[in-house]
Short mmCIF file of all heavy atoms in Angstrom, two decimals:
data_model
loop_
_atom_site.label_atom_id
_atom_site.label_comp_id
_atom_site.label_asym_id
_atom_site.label_seq_id
_atom_site.Cartn_x
_atom_site.Cartn_y
_atom_site.Cartn_z
N MET J 14 19.67 -9.70 17.20
CA MET J 14 18.20 -9.60 17.46
C MET J 14 17.58 -8.61 16.49
O MET J 14 16.55 -8.88 15.93
CB MET J 14 17.96 -9.18 18.93
CG MET J 14 16.48 -9.13 19.19
SD MET J 14 15.76 -10.79 19.11
CE MET J 14 14.30 -10.51 20.11
N HIS J 15 18.26 -7.50 16.26
CA HIS J 15 17.68 -6.52 15.33
C HIS J 15 17.51 -7.02 13.92
O HIS J 15 16.51 -6.67 13.26
CB HIS J 15 18.53 -5.21 15.33
CG HIS J 15 18.45 -4.44 16.59
ND1 HIS J 15 17.32 -3.76 16.96
CD2 HIS J 15 19.33 -4.21 17.58
CE1 HIS J 15 17.52 -3.17 18.10
NE2 HIS J 15 18.77 -3.44 18.52
N GLU J 16 18.46 -7.84 13.48
CA GLU J 16 18.36 -8.35 12.13
C GLU J 16 17.10 -9.20 12.02
O GLU J 16 16.43 -9.11 10.93
CB GLU J 16 19.60 -9.23 11.81
CG GLU J 16 19.63 -9.69 10.42
CD GLU J 16 19.77 -8.59 9.36
OE1 GLU J 16 20.24 -7.47 9.70
OE2 GLU J 16 19.31 -8.83 8.24
N TRP J 17 16.73 -10.01 12.96
CA TRP J 17 15.56 -10.87 12.87
C TRP J 17 14.28 -9.98 12.83
O TRP J 17 13.35 -10.28 12.12
CB TRP J 17 15.50 -11.87 14.02
CG TRP J 17 16.44 -12.99 13.83
CD1 TRP J 17 17.54 -13.27 14.56
CD2 TRP J 17 16.38 -13.99 12.78
NE1 TRP J 17 18.22 -14.35 14.04
CE2 TRP J 17 17.49 -14.86 12.97
CE3 TRP J 17 15.51 -14.30 11.76
CZ2 TRP J 17 17.77 -15.93 12.18
CZ3 TRP J 17 15.77 -15.39 10.95
CH2 TRP J 17 16.87 -16.19 11.13
N THR J 18 14.29 -8.95 13.67
CA THR J 18 13.14 -8.05 13.70
C THR J 18 12.97 -7.36 12.35
O THR J 18 11.89 -7.20 11.83
CB THR J 18 13.30 -7.02 14.80
OG1 THR J 18 13.48 -7.73 16.06
CG2 THR J 18 12.12 -6.13 14.91
N ARG J 19 14.11 -6.95 11.78
CA ARG J 19 14.03 -6.26 10.46
C ARG J 19 13.54 -7.22 9.40
O ARG J 19 12.71 -6.88 8.55
CB ARG J 19 15.47 -5.75 10.10
CG ARG J 19 15.48 -4.98 8.84
CD ARG J 19 16.83 -4.28 8.63
NE ARG J 19 17.05 -3.29 9.66
CZ ARG J 19 18.11 -3.26 10.37
NH1 ARG J 19 19.09 -4.08 10.25
NH2 ARG J 19 18.22 -2.26 11.34
N LEU J 20 14.01 -8.47 9.42
CA LEU J 20 13.58 -9.48 8.41
C LEU J 20 12.11 -9.83 8.62
O LEU J 20 11.35 -9.99 7.66
CB LEU J 20 14.41 -10.72 8.57
CG LEU J 20 15.84 -10.65 8.02
CD1 LEU J 20 16.64 -11.90 8.38
CD2 LEU J 20 15.84 -10.37 6.52
N ALA J 21 11.66 -9.92 9.85
CA ALA J 21 10.27 -10.22 10.11
C ALA J 21 9.33 -9.07 9.64
O ALA J 21 8.29 -9.33 9.04
CB ALA J 21 9.97 -10.43 11.63
N ALA J 22 9.78 -7.85 9.84
CA ALA J 22 9.03 -6.68 9.35
C ALA J 22 8.94 -6.71 7.77
O ALA J 22 7.90 -6.46 7.24
CB ALA J 22 9.66 -5.41 9.83
N TYR J 23 10.05 -6.98 7.18
CA TYR J 23 10.10 -7.06 5.73
C TYR J 23 9.14 -8.18 5.22
O TYR J 23 8.40 -7.88 4.26
CB TYR J 23 11.52 -7.33 5.26
CG TYR J 23 11.73 -7.48 3.79
CD1 TYR J 23 11.90 -6.41 2.97
CD2 TYR J 23 11.75 -8.74 3.20
CE1 TYR J 23 12.12 -6.50 1.63
CE2 TYR J 23 12.01 -8.88 1.83
CZ TYR J 23 12.19 -7.79 1.09
OH TYR J 23 12.35 -7.88 -0.30
N ALA J 24 9.19 -9.29 5.85
CA ALA J 24 8.36 -10.44 5.43
C ALA J 24 6.90 -10.09 5.59
O ALA J 24 6.05 -10.32 4.68
CB ALA J 24 8.67 -11.67 6.23
N ARG J 25 6.51 -9.50 6.71
CA ARG J 25 5.13 -9.12 6.94
C ARG J 25 4.61 -8.05 5.97
O ARG J 25 3.54 -8.11 5.50
CB ARG J 25 4.92 -8.63 8.40
CG ARG J 25 5.12 -9.68 9.48
CD ARG J 25 4.20 -10.94 9.39
NE ARG J 25 2.83 -10.65 9.71
CZ ARG J 25 2.25 -10.82 10.91
NH1 ARG J 25 2.99 -11.32 11.92
NH2 ARG J 25 1.00 -10.56 11.12
N GLN J 26 5.49 -7.09 5.65
CA GLN J 26 5.15 -6.01 4.72
C GLN J 26 4.84 -6.65 3.32
O GLN J 26 3.84 -6.38 2.73
CB GLN J 26 6.29 -4.99 4.60
CG GLN J 26 6.03 -3.85 3.73
CD GLN J 26 5.18 -2.74 4.32
OE1 GLN J 26 4.95 -2.74 5.51
NE2 GLN J 26 4.61 -1.93 3.50
N HIS J 27 5.69 -7.50 2.93
CA HIS J 27 5.52 -8.11 1.58
C HIS J 27 4.41 -9.13 1.52
O HIS J 27 3.68 -9.18 0.48
CB HIS J 27 6.85 -8.65 1.09
CG HIS J 27 7.82 -7.59 0.67
ND1 HIS J 27 7.67 -6.98 -0.61
CD2 HIS J 27 8.70 -6.85 1.35
CE1 HIS J 27 8.58 -6.00 -0.61
NE2 HIS J 27 9.21 -5.91 0.53
N ARG J 28 4.20 -9.93 2.57
CA ARG J 28 3.05 -10.80 2.54
C ARG J 28 1.76 -9.94 2.55
O ARG J 28 0.78 -10.29 1.96
CB ARG J 28 3.05 -11.75 3.78
CG ARG J 28 1.94 -12.80 3.66
CD ARG J 28 2.04 -13.84 4.74
NE ARG J 28 1.71 -13.27 6.00
CZ ARG J 28 1.65 -13.96 7.12
NH1 ARG J 28 1.92 -15.23 7.09
NH2 ARG J 28 1.42 -13.38 8.28
N GLY J 29 1.79 -8.81 3.29
CA GLY J 29 0.64 -7.91 3.23
C GLY J 29 0.33 -7.43 1.86
O GLY J 29 -0.83 -7.33 1.47
N LYS J 30 1.34 -7.17 1.05
CA LYS J 30 1.13 -6.75 -0.33
C LYS J 30 0.47 -7.86 -1.14
O LYS J 30 -0.38 -7.60 -1.94
CB LYS J 30 2.46 -6.38 -0.96
CG LYS J 30 3.07 -5.05 -0.44
CD LYS J 30 4.40 -4.78 -1.08
CE LYS J 30 5.03 -3.61 -0.51
NZ LYS J 30 6.38 -3.34 -1.03
N VAL J 31 0.93 -9.12 -0.90
CA VAL J 31 0.32 -10.23 -1.60
C VAL J 31 -1.13 -10.34 -1.22
O VAL J 31 -2.02 -10.54 -2.10
CB VAL J 31 1.10 -11.54 -1.32
CG1 VAL J 31 0.37 -12.73 -1.85
CG2 VAL J 31 2.47 -11.47 -1.91
N TYR J 32 -1.47 -10.32 0.07
CA TYR J 32 -2.83 -10.35 0.52
C TYR J 32 -3.65 -9.22 -0.10
O TYR J 32 -4.81 -9.52 -0.51
CB TYR J 32 -2.90 -10.31 2.06
CG TYR J 32 -2.55 -11.50 2.79
CD1 TYR J 32 -2.09 -11.47 4.09
CD2 TYR J 32 -2.75 -12.78 2.21
CE1 TYR J 32 -1.78 -12.63 4.80
CE2 TYR J 32 -2.43 -13.90 2.94
CZ TYR J 32 -1.95 -13.80 4.24
OH TYR J 32 -1.68 -14.99 4.95
N PHE J 33 -3.11 -8.02 -0.09
CA PHE J 33 -3.83 -6.92 -0.72
C PHE J 33 -4.14 -7.19 -2.16
O PHE J 33 -5.28 -6.99 -2.63
CB PHE J 33 -3.05 -5.65 -0.52
CG PHE J 33 -3.76 -4.40 -1.00
CD1 PHE J 33 -4.75 -3.81 -0.28
CD2 PHE J 33 -3.48 -3.89 -2.31
CE1 PHE J 33 -5.43 -2.70 -0.72
CE2 PHE J 33 -4.13 -2.78 -2.73
CZ PHE J 33 -5.14 -2.19 -2.00
N ASP J 34 -3.17 -7.65 -2.93
CA ASP J 34 -3.37 -7.93 -4.33
C ASP J 34 -4.39 -9.05 -4.55
O ASP J 34 -5.12 -9.05 -5.54
CB ASP J 34 -2.04 -8.35 -5.01
CG ASP J 34 -1.11 -7.21 -5.15
OD1 ASP J 34 -1.53 -6.03 -5.07
OD2 ASP J 34 0.14 -7.46 -5.37
N GLN J 35 -4.55 -9.96 -3.58
CA GLN J 35 -5.53 -11.05 -3.63
C GLN J 35 -6.88 -10.64 -3.19
O GLN J 35 -7.84 -11.40 -3.31
CB GLN J 35 -5.07 -12.24 -2.85
CG GLN J 35 -3.81 -12.90 -3.38
CD GLN J 35 -3.32 -14.03 -2.45
OE1 GLN J 35 -3.61 -14.08 -1.24
NE2 GLN J 35 -2.51 -14.90 -2.98
N GLY J 36 -7.00 -9.37 -2.64
CA GLY J 36 -8.28 -8.92 -2.12
C GLY J 36 -8.53 -9.30 -0.68
O GLY J 36 -9.63 -9.13 -0.18
N ASN J 37 -7.57 -9.90 -0.01
CA ASN J 37 -7.66 -10.26 1.40
C ASN J 37 -7.24 -9.10 2.24
O ASN J 37 -6.15 -8.97 2.74
CB ASN J 37 -6.80 -11.49 1.68
CG ASN J 37 -6.86 -11.93 3.12
OD1 ASN J 37 -7.43 -11.28 4.01
ND2 ASN J 37 -6.32 -13.09 3.38
N LEU J 38 -8.24 -8.17 2.42
CA LEU J 38 -7.92 -6.88 3.10
C LEU J 38 -7.64 -7.14 4.58
O LEU J 38 -6.78 -6.47 5.18
CB LEU J 38 -9.08 -5.91 2.93
CG LEU J 38 -9.36 -5.51 1.47
CD1 LEU J 38 -10.55 -4.55 1.41
CD2 LEU J 38 -8.15 -4.90 0.85
N ASP J 39 -8.38 -8.08 5.23
CA ASP J 39 -8.12 -8.28 6.64
C ASP J 39 -6.75 -8.93 6.91
O ASP J 39 -6.02 -8.46 7.83
CB ASP J 39 -9.21 -9.26 7.22
CG ASP J 39 -10.59 -8.67 7.15
OD1 ASP J 39 -10.73 -7.42 7.32
OD2 ASP J 39 -11.55 -9.36 6.86
N GLY J 40 -6.29 -9.80 6.01
CA GLY J 40 -4.93 -10.34 6.13
C GLY J 40 -3.92 -9.30 5.87
O GLY J 40 -2.85 -9.25 6.59
N ALA J 41 -4.15 -8.44 4.89
CA ALA J 41 -3.22 -7.38 4.52
C ALA J 41 -3.05 -6.37 5.74
O ALA J 41 -2.00 -6.00 6.12
CB ALA J 41 -3.69 -6.63 3.29
N LEU J 42 -4.20 -6.02 6.34
CA LEU J 42 -4.17 -5.05 7.46
C LEU J 42 -3.43 -5.67 8.63
O LEU J 42 -2.61 -4.99 9.22
CB LEU J 42 -5.59 -4.74 7.88
CG LEU J 42 -5.68 -3.72 9.01
CD1 LEU J 42 -5.08 -2.40 8.67
CD2 LEU J 42 -7.20 -3.50 9.37
N ALA J 43 -3.63 -6.94 8.90
CA ALA J 43 -2.91 -7.55 10.00
C ALA J 43 -1.41 -7.59 9.77
O ALA J 43 -0.62 -7.24 10.69
CB ALA J 43 -3.42 -9.03 10.21
N ASP J 44 -0.99 -7.88 8.53
CA ASP J 44 0.43 -7.93 8.26
C ASP J 44 1.07 -6.53 8.21
O ASP J 44 2.14 -6.36 8.75
CB ASP J 44 0.70 -8.63 6.92
CG ASP J 44 0.75 -10.15 7.11
OD1 ASP J 44 0.82 -10.65 8.27
OD2 ASP J 44 0.78 -10.83 6.05
N PHE J 45 0.37 -5.56 7.65
CA PHE J 45 0.94 -4.23 7.59
C PHE J 45 1.00 -3.61 9.01
O PHE J 45 1.99 -2.92 9.35
CB PHE J 45 0.09 -3.26 6.66
CG PHE J 45 0.18 -3.61 5.23
CD1 PHE J 45 -0.95 -3.48 4.45
CD2 PHE J 45 1.35 -4.06 4.66
CE1 PHE J 45 -0.86 -3.72 3.07
CE2 PHE J 45 1.44 -4.35 3.31
CZ PHE J 45 0.32 -4.14 2.48
N THR J 46 0.02 -3.91 9.84
CA THR J 46 0.04 -3.42 11.24
C THR J 46 1.17 -4.06 12.01
O THR J 46 1.95 -3.39 12.73
CB THR J 46 -1.28 -3.74 11.91
OG1 THR J 46 -2.36 -3.07 11.20
CG2 THR J 46 -1.32 -3.21 13.31
N ALA J 47 1.41 -5.37 11.76
CA ALA J 47 2.56 -6.01 12.36
C ALA J 47 3.87 -5.46 11.92
O ALA J 47 4.80 -5.30 12.72
CB ALA J 47 2.50 -7.53 12.06
N ALA J 48 3.97 -5.12 10.63
CA ALA J 48 5.21 -4.52 10.09
C ALA J 48 5.48 -3.18 10.77
O ALA J 48 6.61 -2.88 11.11
CB ALA J 48 5.08 -4.32 8.57
N VAL J 49 4.41 -2.36 10.99
CA VAL J 49 4.58 -1.10 11.69
C VAL J 49 5.14 -1.33 13.07
O VAL J 49 6.15 -0.73 13.51
CB VAL J 49 3.26 -0.33 11.77
CG1 VAL J 49 3.40 0.85 12.79
CG2 VAL J 49 2.77 0.15 10.46
N PHE J 50 4.54 -2.29 13.83
CA PHE J 50 5.05 -2.57 15.21
C PHE J 50 6.46 -3.07 15.18
O PHE J 50 7.27 -2.57 15.97
CB PHE J 50 4.13 -3.64 15.81
CG PHE J 50 4.65 -4.21 17.11
CD1 PHE J 50 4.47 -3.52 18.27
CD2 PHE J 50 5.32 -5.44 17.13
CE1 PHE J 50 4.97 -3.95 19.47
CE2 PHE J 50 5.81 -5.96 18.32
CZ PHE J 50 5.65 -5.19 19.49
N LEU J 51 6.79 -3.97 14.27
CA LEU J 51 8.20 -4.50 14.24
C LEU J 51 9.17 -3.41 13.81
O LEU J 51 10.26 -3.36 14.38
CB LEU J 51 8.22 -5.65 13.27
CG LEU J 51 7.51 -6.94 13.73
CD1 LEU J 51 7.35 -7.95 12.58
CD2 LEU J 51 8.27 -7.59 14.92
N ARG J 52 8.78 -2.59 12.89
CA ARG J 52 9.71 -1.51 12.50
C ARG J 52 9.92 -0.48 13.59
O ARG J 52 11.01 0.02 13.78
CB ARG J 52 9.23 -0.88 11.16
CG ARG J 52 9.48 -1.86 9.98
CD ARG J 52 9.09 -1.25 8.67
NE ARG J 52 9.61 -2.14 7.67
CZ ARG J 52 9.20 -2.24 6.45
NH1 ARG J 52 8.24 -1.41 6.04
NH2 ARG J 52 9.73 -3.03 5.59
N GLU J 53 8.81 -0.17 14.33
CA GLU J 53 8.99 0.73 15.50
C GLU J 53 9.89 0.12 16.49
O GLU J 53 10.78 0.80 17.02
CB GLU J 53 7.67 1.07 16.08
CG GLU J 53 6.80 1.99 15.28
CD GLU J 53 5.38 2.24 15.88
OE1 GLU J 53 4.89 1.34 16.67
OE2 GLU J 53 4.84 3.30 15.62
N LYS J 54 9.70 -1.15 16.78
CA LYS J 54 10.53 -1.87 17.76
C LYS J 54 12.00 -1.91 17.34
O LYS J 54 12.90 -1.84 18.21
CB LYS J 54 10.03 -3.31 17.86
CG LYS J 54 10.75 -4.20 18.87
CD LYS J 54 10.17 -5.56 18.88
CE LYS J 54 10.99 -6.47 19.74
NZ LYS J 54 10.45 -7.89 19.76
N ASP J 55 12.26 -1.94 16.03
CA ASP J 55 13.62 -2.07 15.53
C ASP J 55 14.22 -0.69 15.36
O ASP J 55 15.44 -0.58 15.11
CB ASP J 55 13.58 -2.79 14.16
CG ASP J 55 14.94 -3.13 13.66
OD1 ASP J 55 15.76 -3.71 14.38
OD2 ASP J 55 15.26 -2.79 12.50
N GLY J 56 13.49 0.36 15.52
CA GLY J 56 14.05 1.74 15.35
C GLY J 56 14.28 2.05 13.90
O GLY J 56 15.27 2.71 13.56
N ALA J 57 13.39 1.57 13.00
CA ALA J 57 13.54 1.80 11.57
C ALA J 57 13.54 3.33 11.26
O ALA J 57 12.96 4.08 12.03
CB ALA J 57 12.41 1.10 10.84
N ASP J 58 14.13 3.66 10.09
CA ASP J 58 14.08 5.02 9.66
C ASP J 58 12.68 5.46 9.28
O ASP J 58 11.80 4.63 9.03
CB ASP J 58 15.16 5.32 8.60
CG ASP J 58 14.86 4.61 7.28
OD1 ASP J 58 13.71 4.44 6.94
OD2 ASP J 58 15.81 4.18 6.62
N ALA J 59 12.52 6.75 9.15
CA ALA J 59 11.20 7.33 8.88
C ALA J 59 10.62 6.81 7.55
O ALA J 59 9.35 6.58 7.48
CB ALA J 59 11.27 8.88 8.80
N ASP J 60 11.42 6.65 6.51
CA ASP J 60 10.88 6.19 5.22
C ASP J 60 10.31 4.81 5.33
O ASP J 60 9.20 4.47 4.77
CB ASP J 60 11.98 6.22 4.16
CG ASP J 60 12.35 7.60 3.73
OD1 ASP J 60 11.48 8.54 3.93
OD2 ASP J 60 13.44 7.81 3.16
N GLU J 61 10.98 3.88 6.02
CA GLU J 61 10.49 2.51 6.16
C GLU J 61 9.17 2.52 6.95
O GLU J 61 8.20 1.83 6.62
CB GLU J 61 11.48 1.65 6.89
CG GLU J 61 12.66 1.23 6.06
CD GLU J 61 13.70 0.41 6.81
OE1 GLU J 61 13.99 0.69 7.97
OE2 GLU J 61 14.11 -0.60 6.22
N LEU J 62 9.20 3.22 8.06
CA LEU J 62 7.97 3.33 8.89
C LEU J 62 6.84 3.97 8.13
O LEU J 62 5.69 3.48 8.21
CB LEU J 62 8.30 4.13 10.15
CG LEU J 62 7.32 3.98 11.31
CD1 LEU J 62 7.05 2.53 11.66
CD2 LEU J 62 7.84 4.75 12.53
N ASP J 63 7.11 5.03 7.38
CA ASP J 63 6.08 5.72 6.65
C ASP J 63 5.43 4.79 5.54
O ASP J 63 4.22 4.84 5.34
CB ASP J 63 6.60 6.95 5.97
CG ASP J 63 6.81 8.07 6.92
OD1 ASP J 63 6.30 8.02 8.09
OD2 ASP J 63 7.44 9.08 6.50
N SER J 64 6.24 3.91 4.96
CA SER J 64 5.70 3.04 3.94
C SER J 64 4.69 2.06 4.55
O SER J 64 3.67 1.78 3.96
CB SER J 64 6.80 2.28 3.15
OG SER J 64 7.37 1.32 3.94
N SER J 65 5.03 1.60 5.77
CA SER J 65 4.14 0.68 6.39
C SER J 65 2.87 1.40 6.90
O SER J 65 1.75 0.84 6.81
CB SER J 65 4.77 -0.01 7.62
OG SER J 65 5.88 -0.85 7.19
N LEU J 66 3.03 2.63 7.44
CA LEU J 66 1.87 3.37 7.94
C LEU J 66 0.96 3.72 6.74
O LEU J 66 -0.29 3.70 6.90
CB LEU J 66 2.32 4.65 8.64
CG LEU J 66 2.97 4.41 10.01
CD1 LEU J 66 3.66 5.68 10.47
CD2 LEU J 66 2.00 3.94 10.97
N LEU J 67 1.51 4.09 5.62
CA LEU J 67 0.72 4.35 4.42
C LEU J 67 -0.04 3.14 3.94
O LEU J 67 -1.27 3.23 3.59
CB LEU J 67 1.58 4.84 3.29
CG LEU J 67 0.91 5.13 1.97
CD1 LEU J 67 -0.14 6.22 2.16
CD2 LEU J 67 1.90 5.56 0.90
N ALA J 68 0.59 1.96 4.04
CA ALA J 68 -0.07 0.73 3.61
C ALA J 68 -1.29 0.45 4.53
O ALA J 68 -2.35 0.07 4.09
CB ALA J 68 0.91 -0.44 3.65
N VAL J 69 -1.12 0.67 5.83
CA VAL J 69 -2.19 0.50 6.80
C VAL J 69 -3.33 1.45 6.43
O VAL J 69 -4.51 1.05 6.39
CB VAL J 69 -1.78 0.73 8.25
CG1 VAL J 69 -2.92 0.82 9.19
CG2 VAL J 69 -0.80 -0.35 8.66
N ALA J 70 -3.04 2.70 6.18
CA ALA J 70 -4.05 3.68 5.85
C ALA J 70 -4.81 3.32 4.55
O ALA J 70 -6.02 3.44 4.53
CB ALA J 70 -3.42 5.08 5.69
N VAL J 71 -4.08 2.86 3.56
CA VAL J 71 -4.74 2.48 2.30
C VAL J 71 -5.70 1.29 2.53
O VAL J 71 -6.88 1.37 2.04
CB VAL J 71 -3.68 2.07 1.22
CG1 VAL J 71 -4.30 1.46 0.01
CG2 VAL J 71 -2.94 3.34 0.76
N VAL J 72 -5.25 0.27 3.23
CA VAL J 72 -6.10 -0.87 3.49
C VAL J 72 -7.31 -0.51 4.31
O VAL J 72 -8.47 -0.90 4.08
CB VAL J 72 -5.35 -2.03 4.19
CG1 VAL J 72 -6.25 -3.19 4.57
CG2 VAL J 72 -4.21 -2.52 3.20
N GLU J 73 -7.11 0.34 5.37
CA GLU J 73 -8.27 0.80 6.17
C GLU J 73 -9.25 1.53 5.33
O GLU J 73 -10.48 1.39 5.56
CB GLU J 73 -7.75 1.61 7.33
CG GLU J 73 -7.11 0.88 8.40
CD GLU J 73 -6.55 1.69 9.52
OE1 GLU J 73 -6.27 2.96 9.35
OE2 GLU J 73 -6.33 1.14 10.64
N SER J 74 -8.78 2.34 4.34
CA SER J 74 -9.74 3.09 3.52
C SER J 74 -10.52 2.09 2.60
O SER J 74 -11.70 2.33 2.38
CB SER J 74 -9.09 4.15 2.67
OG SER J 74 -8.27 3.59 1.68
N HIS J 75 -9.84 1.05 2.13
CA HIS J 75 -10.57 0.06 1.26
C HIS J 75 -11.58 -0.74 2.14
O HIS J 75 -12.70 -1.00 1.66
CB HIS J 75 -9.55 -0.90 0.67
CG HIS J 75 -8.90 -0.40 -0.53
ND1 HIS J 75 -9.50 -0.18 -1.74
CD2 HIS J 75 -7.61 0.04 -0.73
CE1 HIS J 75 -8.67 0.31 -2.61
NE2 HIS J 75 -7.47 0.47 -2.05
N ILE J 76 -11.20 -1.02 3.38
CA ILE J 76 -12.12 -1.75 4.25
C ILE J 76 -13.32 -0.86 4.55
O ILE J 76 -14.48 -1.34 4.52
CB ILE J 76 -11.44 -2.23 5.58
CG1 ILE J 76 -10.43 -3.36 5.23
CG2 ILE J 76 -12.42 -2.62 6.68
CD1 ILE J 76 -9.55 -3.74 6.42
N ALA J 77 -13.15 0.39 4.83
CA ALA J 77 -14.24 1.32 5.07
C ALA J 77 -15.13 1.44 3.85
O ALA J 77 -16.35 1.52 4.01
CB ALA J 77 -13.70 2.69 5.51
N ALA J 78 -14.55 1.48 2.66
CA ALA J 78 -15.31 1.61 1.46
C ALA J 78 -16.21 0.39 1.17
O ALA J 78 -17.24 0.52 0.52
CB ALA J 78 -14.40 1.92 0.27
N ARG J 79 -15.70 -0.80 1.59
CA ARG J 79 -16.55 -2.02 1.28
C ARG J 79 -17.70 -2.12 2.18
O ARG J 79 -18.62 -2.86 1.89
CB ARG J 79 -15.64 -3.24 1.37
CG ARG J 79 -15.36 -3.71 2.75
CD ARG J 79 -14.56 -5.01 2.77
NE ARG J 79 -14.31 -5.36 4.16
CZ ARG J 79 -13.37 -6.23 4.58
NH1 ARG J 79 -12.60 -6.81 3.71
NH2 ARG J 79 -13.26 -6.48 5.84
N GLY J 80 -17.74 -1.43 3.32
CA GLY J 80 -18.87 -1.39 4.24
C GLY J 80 -18.86 -2.67 5.08
O GLY J 80 -17.95 -3.46 5.04
N PRO J 81 -19.90 -2.81 5.87
CA PRO J 81 -19.98 -3.90 6.87
C PRO J 81 -20.10 -5.23 6.11
O PRO J 81 -20.76 -5.36 5.03
CB PRO J 81 -21.20 -3.64 7.66
CG PRO J 81 -21.90 -2.49 7.04
CD PRO J 81 -21.00 -1.90 5.99
N GLN J 82 -19.44 -6.26 6.64
CA GLN J 82 -19.48 -7.56 6.10
C GLN J 82 -20.52 -8.37 6.85
O GLN J 82 -20.60 -8.33 8.03
CB GLN J 82 -18.12 -8.32 6.21
CG GLN J 82 -17.01 -7.60 5.43
CD GLN J 82 -17.16 -7.68 3.96
OE1 GLN J 82 -17.23 -8.79 3.40
NE2 GLN J 82 -17.31 -6.57 3.29
N SER J 83 -21.35 -9.15 6.10
CA SER J 83 -22.30 -9.99 6.78
C SER J 83 -21.95 -11.48 6.68
O SER J 83 -21.09 -11.85 6.02
CB SER J 83 -23.65 -9.77 6.24
OG SER J 83 -23.77 -9.16 5.03
#
């Protein structure tokens, strides 16, 4: 079970990077947040968890900078 959770977290983290590079901040945020959840569930080490948390923080700052969407 842990292997699937680890793979799912890895996939969400990397798809989040693709979304971020494409400018899809909402998609990136959803995937990075899911990666955090999955890594916490899997008992990931601090470095893995920190990379996902940092990605969430970066995307949130970009979303805040773009302002409200109409």
